[in-house]
Amino acid sequence: MNSVQNIFFGIREYLSPVLKNSKFKETGCITPEEFEAAGDFLVYKCPTWSWEGGEPGKRREYLHPDKQFLITRNVPCLRRVKQMEYTDEDAETQIESDGADSWVMSHSSRVFGGPIEEIAASMDEDEDEEEKAEAEAQAAIRAMEKLQLRTTEEEVAVGDDDIPDMDDIPDMDDYDDMEEEADPATLAQPVSTEVDPGDKILSVRTYDVFITYDKYYQTPRMWLFGYDEHRRPLVSSQIFEDVSQDYAKKTVTIETHPHLNMSLASIHPCRHGAVMKKIIEKIASDEGKEETTVRVDQ
């Protein structure tokens, strides 16, 4: 069923015309040129993103050969959806802010304290340790400079009496019958596989995030490829653990990447244009601008 669906999507995209004139302000749709311009701006502002060319046989001629899609790697995913699901015991708190719209804080009754909070709490301790280590390093550098200066000033005289007589040097052939002893320093040390409890590196799931251009919907499209805590690829069922059940297998589905020979989780772009249109209207109203002044790369 999935292969038939992919064939249908491929034919549909092939028959769809390439958008030549921008409809970004009217419908939120963009041209391939605008997609590249927005991607260039994203790479400039966020260097973790980069352009990729993908498989040569799957390149789209309406895009630059080296700018077929965008990718950022190792985006952390700290919790599963079930850990953040809203229950009847969770309260909501309305937050009022001066000169701005109020907003609602969900899960306000929960006691915070987990991987994120632990890392944040240890940041101050890490800064103090770094400052102490820096001070110790500077002190060691100054001590070495003084030692080097003192050694340079003192001349070490080596007289003829200090040169050993060649006859006093033992012949190595006299030691042929001696057995070599193993040097403890050269013995291989066992590698521990246990996790250090003092290690502050948090092992979490990570995702590679892709952005492609969808010619049929004339919008960007998001793709996700996940890894577990040990950098093993996630299977489909594990990926859907990180997706709300309202969207899993509906808005978020497993499909073939248009530029790679692999299947990834994809966020369906059918509502992307409408959402972008609302964002344009929101930005224009908040900043008191006309919608025509909002650019695609903002």
Side-chain angles (χ1 to χ4, degrees):
M1 179 62 184
N2 191 35
S3 60
V4 175
Q5 188 181 54
N6 290 333
I7 294 174
F8 169 74
F9 289 158
I11 296 175
R12 185 181 65 178
E13 180 185 6
Y14 177 78
L15 297 176
S16 300
V18 178
L19 184 64
K20 299 296 185 181
N21 299 318
S22 176
K23 295 182 179 179
F24 178 66
K25 300 177 180 67
E26 295 81 6
T27 63
C29 297
I30 60 175
T31 64
E33 291 77 14
E34 290 175 320
F35 173 73
E36 292 184 18
D40 289 340
F41 187 74
L42 177 62
V43 172
Y44 168 73
K45 297 294 289 186
C46 304
T48 56
W49 285 92
S50 62
W51 284 107
E52 293 285 345
E55 295 292 335
K58 292 193 171 188
R59 290 176 180 171
R60 274 41 175 183
E61 59 182 11
Y62 50 83
L63 294 171
H64 190 280
D66 297 329
K67 295 181 178 181
Q68 296 287 303
F69 62 92
L70 293 151
I71 181 174
T72 184
R73 295 179 171 86
N74 301 323
V75 179
C77 181
L78 301 178
R79 297 186 180 95
R80 309 288 74 78
V81 168
K82 289 185 177 180
Q83 295 176 281
M84 299 181 291
E85 285 182 347
Y86 189 83
T87 65
D88 295 336
E89 298 178 357
D90 292 317
E92 293 182 348
T93 303
Q94 185 168 343
I95 307 298
E96 302 288 345
S97 55
D98 297 336
D101 296 335
S102 60
W103 55 281
V104 176
M105 176 183 178
S106 63
H107 307 84
S108 59
S109 60
R110 295 194 181 186
V111 177
F112 292 95
I116 299 177
E117 289 75 21
E118 291 175 0
I119 293 174
S122 65
M123 288 180 64
D124 294 336
E125 298 179 2
D126 292 340
E127 292 178 358
D128 295 339
E129 292 177 359
E130 290 177 2
E131 293 176 359
K132 183 179 179 180
E134 179 66 21
E136 293 176 352
Q138 292 298 331
I141 292 173
R142 289 192 294 269
M144 291 298 295
E145 291 175 349
K146 292 180 181 179
L147 179 61
Q148 184 178 5
L149 179 62
R150 186 168 61 252
T151 304
T152 304
E153 293 175 350
E154 297 177 354
E155 296 182 357
V156 180
V158 179
D160 294 338
D161 296 338
D162 296 329
I163 301 176
D165 191 347
M166 294 296 294
D167 295 335
D168 296 335
I169 300 177
D171 192 348
M172 295 301 296
D173 294 335
D174 298 337
Y175 299 93
D176 289 342
D177 298 334
M178 294 182 63
E179 295 183 1
E180 295 184 0
E181 296 182 359
D183 186 357
T186 61
L187 295 178
Q189 300 295 327
V191 180
S192 176
T193 58
E194 296 181 359
V195 178
D196 184 5
D199 191 357
K200 295 184 179 180
I201 298 177
L202 182 64
S203 298
V204 297
R205 285 186 179 183
T206 57
Y207 279 87
D208 294 345
V209 183
F210 305 76
I211 303 179
T212 63
Y213 179 78
D214 193 294
K215 191 176 77 164
Y216 180 78
Y217 289 100
Q218 301 168 345
T219 62
R221 184 168 189 170
M222 301 286 293
W223 303 78
L224 304 170
F225 186 81
Y227 303 88
D228 66 9
E229 293 80 359
H230 305 287
R231 293 295 297 171
R232 294 175 300 205
L234 298 177
V235 298
S236 301
S237 59
Q238 292 174 311
I239 293 176
F240 288 131
E241 292 176 353
D242 297 326
V243 180
S244 172
Q245 295 305 305
D246 294 336
Y247 306 107
K249 301 181 181 180
K250 299 173 186 175
T251 306
V252 180
T253 56
I254 305 298
E255 298 183 29
T256 302
H257 193 285
H259 303 287
L260 301 173
N261 295 319
M262 56 192 306
S263 296
L264 286 74
S266 172
I267 302 175
H268 204 271
C270 58
R271 298 290 300 168
H272 185 94
V275 172
M276 285 304 304
K277 175 60 177 175
K278 291 183 179 180
I279 294 175
I280 295 170
E281 295 173 351
K282 178 65 175 176
I283 294 175
S285 62
D286 289 347
E287 299 183 2
K289 299 179 180 179
E290 296 291 335
E291 293 183 18
T292 54
T293 61
V294 180
R295 304 193 314 272
V296 68
D297 57 352
Q298 287 181 319

